[in-house]
Amino acid sequence: MDVESITEETELHDKQSELDVAPALIAVHPTHHSLVVAIGSELRVFDLQGSCCVILGDGSSGHKDSIRAVSYGANGKLFVSAGDDKLVKIWNTDTWQCIYNVSSEKRVTAVAISNDGHYVSFADKFGVVWVVELEGLHQSSAVVEKKPAPMLSHYCSIITGLEFSPDGKYIVSADRDFKIRVTAFPTKPLEGAHEIQSFCLGHTKFVSCFTFVCNQEYPQGFLVSGSGDSTVCLWEYESGTLLNTCEVGAEAGLLQSNGSEEDILPVITDLCASRDGSLVAVAVQSLPGVLLLSCNLSVKSLSIVRKITITEEAFIPTCLSTSSTSELLWLVMGVSNLKGSVSPSLARVRAISCFGQNSEPIILADSEIPGGEQLLKTLQGNLSIEKEVFSRTAEAVKIAMNNLLIKKEYNVENREYRKRGRNDKKKYK
Amino acid sequence: MLENEAYLSKTTHLPRKRFFRARAHSNPLSDSHFPVPISPSHVDYSLHYPQLVVSSDTTSSKKVEFADIGCGFGGLLISLATLFPETLMIGMELRDKVTEYVKERILALRKANPGQYQNVSVVRTNSMKYIPNYFQKAQLSKMFFLFPDPHFKEKNHRRRVISPYLLDEYAYALRVGGIIYTITDVEELGEWMNSCLAGHPMFEALTQKELEADPVVKLLSSATEEGQKVSRNGGQTFQAIYRRITPIS
């Protein structure tokens, strides 16, 4: 074995172990009944109405590997979780019983529930989007196994986001090949979704997240997407028209110097729109806190209005969520399988109040959070977190995301060297 | 490229294939290292069709209507160029050496026949991944898939250029009434392509009458290098030719 293949092998090994690192996820019930944090293979649920921890009822034994995607249905009756264990679990949010198990052939990267709650859709690492039809909220305690049907596919590209449009007419999927695809959601989705409405093309690196912004004037809404190119874009998604680009990284002064190489801009990790559609909260890879963008739908523009910094503990959120009935923005920072640490995982939950128009957002102290200490204990696991864990978490999340979504670049010499044995590279005289 | 245009034939002034030795196959799944346009509006077609497209004016100028996917050495394009002199057409090929050859071939033909072949061009790209980066919705009226890589193994079927999922993207790029032409000398692949197209709600087969009336159909086996090779060896070919329709919802 020559030196090159040895280094390649160790690189591969490092990459594998870093890939196992999964960022923490957070999801709020659409009418603020409950709050879920997913960390590693664990789902932690807190009942916001009863102010108590929820024990999950699961006939089978929960997730066995990192959870990569969670979502509530539009009416809040269903919740779905999925990830690296190739298992999609569908939960009844009244009883928190797992009612359906769906087995996937590949690891799952994104999930969505149709607005009417009849279909659950999920995307795998090969770029295929699958769908299962549900027969309502059955009450039996046994978990029903379902078989998914393939619906559409992005050609061998990891899908990073999946959502139904607010009017339910379209299913939107984003991938690491810079694409956002808007597909008409058919009346018989089990037979496939073949009619592509549009592609939203404009990002120059992977699309990491997207969401819809709507208000009373525009109930069908617009699409807002964040990307590895450090921009947030506003789209008219039915035609795929790019309306506005906000250079978030550059404008917020988040330029990072990478030694001798070029300056790199930080990746957008998550987006969350306020319920009135006037603000979009943006989580950026190197920013402790969040950026608030003002979203003016009548003139179709996005602009940075405020930088909320949470510096006392270097809190760089990995996921954001809000509900349609409160003005609370929930944030989580966390990671599973943190190497070389006493605590194998970290989850830190924060909340920002007055997330909406014409109000001054306030970062809530732990004692002011609804549910208080009880909530934090349930979702974080413990109350006090060492400071040094935060910086290591931020680093681990960044490396894992880059390894997953950024294509490996070889310089010209390296590339030629790898092709040395090819017939078409031999010289002819 | 070689200096002094030594790769050009002394008699015809066309490039000679032996200077463009290429591999027969290329992996469509591998990450691409060539530049890809961000969106169709980012492609500068004035570089491809300097006499027919003016770069400053993107809205009113002509758009590409024919796409030959996996154009190989460009035989079909060259025949189509004179058959449809008013239509812009482009070949898409993943192998860089082959693309290089087609580029030189077009340039040589333009030089030898002033005013002709101005409507053909070629790009190096992976059309299984980047069709939406080149064409707007309903921009194309014809798409060609001639003698594609058969990928016999079942585990490699997802590398086939005609597949149920990719047909969704081709249906997006084709206008209603546009035609998709496929041909192969591999019976198994012929059946596969036919069944994919027949099973897709946005395509319907052309009738025998329509096939006979279409001048392009005859070119599928006669104009391409692969087609000529097959007929030289007395082989059989299998066609599947379908029209893009509005799906019944």
Side-chain angles (χ1 to χ4, degrees):
Chain A
M1 198 184 272
D2 59 319
V3 182
E4 192 201 34
S5 56
I6 293 170
T7 48
E8 255 179 42
E9 202 137 284
T10 47
E11 249 174 54
L12 201 75
H13 180 78
D14 281 354
K15 213 172 143 184
Q16 279 303 316
S17 52
E18 273 153 6
L19 272 182
D20 290 339
V21 170
L25 306 171
I26 194 163
V28 193
H29 186 277
T31 50
H32 218 252
H33 288 187
S34 52
L35 182 61
V36 179
V37 166
I39 176 92
S41 61
E42 201 184 328
L43 270 183
R44 299 170 180 170
V45 185
F46 189 79
D47 182 344
L48 287 164
Q49 289 189 312
S51 261
C52 60
C53 168
V54 174
I55 314 252
L56 296 173
D58 188 357
S60 54
S61 49
H63 284 286
K64 288 176 188 66
D65 206 340
S66 298
I67 297 167
R68 297 285 180 170
V70 291
S71 180
Y72 277 97
N75 59 14
K77 287 192 163 38
L78 291 172
F79 177 82
V80 57
S81 60
D84 290 352
D85 63 354
K86 306 176 184 176
L87 197 61
V88 180
K89 286 188 160 291
I90 301 161
W91 308 81
N92 177 344
T93 59
D94 284 334
T95 58
W96 284 101
Q97 291 281 334
C98 178
I99 50 175
Y100 296 103
N101 266 348
V102 187
S103 293
S104 165
E105 286 171 24
K106 308 281 179 214
R107 293 178 180 202
V108 180
T109 58
V111 290
I113 302 174
S114 70
N115 295 351
D116 58 11
H118 291 331
Y119 298 96
V120 167
S121 182
F122 64 92
D124 69 26
K125 279 191 104 165
F126 269 45
V128 181
V129 177
W130 302 79
V131 67
V132 279
E133 189 172 9
L134 307 180
E135 296 102 30
L137 303 167
H138 66 83
Q139 293 299 324
S140 76
S141 56
V143 184
V144 177
E145 302 284 333
K146 295 288 285 181
K147 255 188 102 67
M151 188 163 62
L152 62 99
S153 170
H154 288 224
Y155 193 71
C156 295
S157 187
I158 298 169
I159 293 183
T160 52
L162 188 67
E163 295 265 1
F164 285 87
S165 65
D167 57 8
K169 266 168 78 178
Y170 303 105
I171 180 159
V172 183
S173 42
D175 71 22
R176 79 151 189 176
D177 275 330
F178 332 153
K179 278 206 292 282
I180 302 170
R181 169 174 158 165
V182 182
T183 313
F185 190 68
T187 41
K188 292 176 189 160
L190 298 182
E191 291 170 16
H194 302 289
E195 208 180 332
I196 301 173
Q197 176 64 29
S198 69
F199 285 100
C200 300
L201 298 169
H203 283 299
T204 54
K205 282 191 180 153
F206 61 88
V207 182
S208 47
C209 49
F210 68 88
T211 188
F212 292 92
V213 273
C214 348
N215 60 17
Q216 278 163 345
E217 212 182 326
Y218 300 100
Q220 82 288 358
F222 293 88
L223 197 129
V224 179
S225 63
S227 154
D229 64 12
S230 210
T231 65
V232 173
C233 289
L234 179 70
W235 308 88
E236 202 286 284
Y237 58 88
E238 251 184 341
S239 64
T241 313
L242 176 60
L243 301 171
N244 198 224
T245 302
C246 186
E247 309 268 351
V248 170
E251 280 179 44
L254 295 168
L255 208 67
Q256 296 169 311
S257 178
N258 190 16
S260 57
E261 288 167 52
E262 282 177 65
D263 290 333
I264 44 164
L265 288 166
V267 170
I268 311 289
T269 40
D270 202 11
L271 291 168
C272 184
S274 67
R275 59 177 174 153
D276 58 9
S278 67
L279 285 178
V280 177
V282 182
V284 190
Q285 210 162 56
S286 60
L287 175 77
V290 283
L291 278 176
L292 293 187
L293 307 190
S294 130
C295 183
N296 188 335
L297 294 184
S298 40
V299 299
K300 284 135 190 96
S301 78
L302 286 172
S303 54
I304 298 176
V305 283
R306 195 187 299 272
K307 191 153 108 183
I308 303 175
T309 46
I310 305 177
T311 47
E312 76 272 14
E313 52 182 21
F315 181 88
I316 302 171
T318 50
C319 190
L320 312 172
S321 185
T322 191
S323 71
S324 57
T325 53
S326 82
E327 287 198 328
L328 272 182
L329 174 70
W330 290 94
L331 312 92
V332 71
M333 172 187 191
V335 74
S336 65
N337 301 335
L338 200 57
K339 269 192 294 181
S341 169
V342 223
S343 48
S345 65
L346 162 87
R348 175 80 174 107
V349 176
R350 304 291 309 246
I352 291 172
S353 71
C354 305
F355 178 45
Q357 207 173 13
N358 307 326
S359 44
E360 187 83 13
I362 306 154
I363 308 164
L364 296 184
D366 286 358
S367 55
E368 298 164 333
I369 283 181
E373 226 172 67
Q374 186 73 28
L375 176 140
L376 294 176
K377 217 168 184 169
T378 307
L379 301 179
Q380 294 183 178
N382 56 353
L383 287 175
S384 64
I385 294 157
E386 291 168 62
K387 278 212 170 74
E388 60 101 27
V389 179
F390 282 98
S391 58
R392 290 234 311 282
T393 298
E395 197 51 35
V397 169
K398 193 168 156 183
I399 292 169
M401 194 161 185
N402 287 358
N403 282 345
L404 188 68
L405 297 174
I406 294 179
K407 294 178 184 183
K408 219 167 169 184
E409 292 278 354
Y410 298 101
N411 59 30
V412 180
E413 297 95 67
N414 203 337
R415 212 148 71 211
E416 291 306 316
Y417 181 70
R418 293 168 76 91
K419 288 181 186 170
R420 65 198 177 275
R422 266 170 51 170
N423 275 340
D424 61 334
K425 291 288 159 186
K426 288 179 186 158
K427 294 272 178 279
Y428 295 98
K429 288 259 157 66
Chain B
M1 250 313 92
L2 301 176
E3 275 171 46
N4 304 328
E5 305 192 327
Y7 55 90
L8 292 182
S9 154
K10 291 200 175 64
T11 49
T12 62
H13 301 287
L14 291 177
R16 285 180 296 171
K17 263 200 226 161
R18 70 182 178 99
F19 292 106
F20 297 86
R21 287 273 296 261
R23 304 206 292 173
H25 308 280
S26 195
N27 181 3
L29 304 178
S30 68
D31 284 347
S32 321
H33 292 286
F34 45 81
V36 175
I38 294 167
S39 78
S41 59
H42 289 79
V43 190
D44 186 358
Y45 283 109
S46 67
L47 299 174
H48 287 278
Y49 312 101
Q51 287 201 359
L52 301 174
V53 178
V54 190
S55 67
S56 54
D57 141 63
T58 48
T59 44
S60 64
S61 66
K62 270 191 183 176
K63 286 189 174 139
V64 173
E65 280 195 39
F66 295 177
D68 185 357
I69 311 301
C71 65
F73 291 93
L76 178 82
L77 282 174
I78 301 304
S79 305
L80 287 174
T82 45
L83 194 59
F84 297 90
E86 300 299 311
T87 309
L88 297 190
M89 48 193 83
I90 201 156
M92 300 182 130
E93 175 58 51
L94 183 52
R95 295 167 292 168
D96 50 350
K97 280 287 172 75
V98 180
T99 319
E100 208 61 47
Y101 171 85
V102 180
K103 225 179 251 170
E104 294 296 334
R105 186 176 179 183
I106 293 169
L107 287 178
L109 283 167
R110 283 181 182 173
K111 215 165 142 189
N113 308 280
Q116 281 187 304
Y117 300 103
Q118 293 296 334
N119 57 333
V120 280
S121 190
V122 67
V123 286
R124 185 204 178 186
T125 195
N126 183 345
S127 49
M128 293 164 83
K129 288 186 177 182
Y130 305 119
I131 286 268
N133 297 66
Y134 281 92
F135 307 117
Q136 287 159 350
K137 191 177 185 176
Q139 183 181 333
L140 299 177
S141 61
K142 288 186 196 305
M143 286 182 100
F144 299 92
F145 298 85
L146 311 187
F147 302 97
D149 204 338
H151 293 295
F152 292 104
K153 286 184 196 166
E154 204 185 323
K155 98 172 190 298
N156 282 341
H157 282 181
R158 64 199 178 95
R159 299 187 186 194
R160 286 179 169 171
V161 73
I162 296 287
S163 73
Y165 301 131
L166 284 171
L167 283 178
D168 298 349
E169 286 191 24
Y170 306 151
Y172 165 84
L174 276 172
R175 65 184 64 148
V176 170
I179 296 173
I180 192 164
Y181 298 84
T182 72
I183 186 169
T184 177
D185 56 332
V186 180
E187 187 168 10
E188 186 202 328
L189 180 68
E191 277 167 21
W192 161 277
M193 294 199 292
N194 198 35
S195 70
C196 286
L197 281 157
H200 200 283
M202 289 162 94
F203 290 101
E204 72 173 13
L206 263 67
T207 61
Q208 196 56 41
K209 226 180 199 166
E210 288 168 326
L211 289 177
E212 280 159 19
D214 190 339
V216 177
V217 175
K218 292 167 201 72
L219 292 178
L220 300 184
S221 49
S222 68
T224 60
E225 286 76 6
E226 281 292 327
Q228 288 158 6
K229 201 157 58 184
V230 172
S231 59
R232 259 204 313 274
N233 301 335
Q236 238 189 317
T237 55
F238 307 89
Q239 299 178 348
I241 299 163
Y242 280 72
R243 183 187 297 105
R244 160 82 155 84
I245 52 166
T246 319
I248 312 140
S249 52

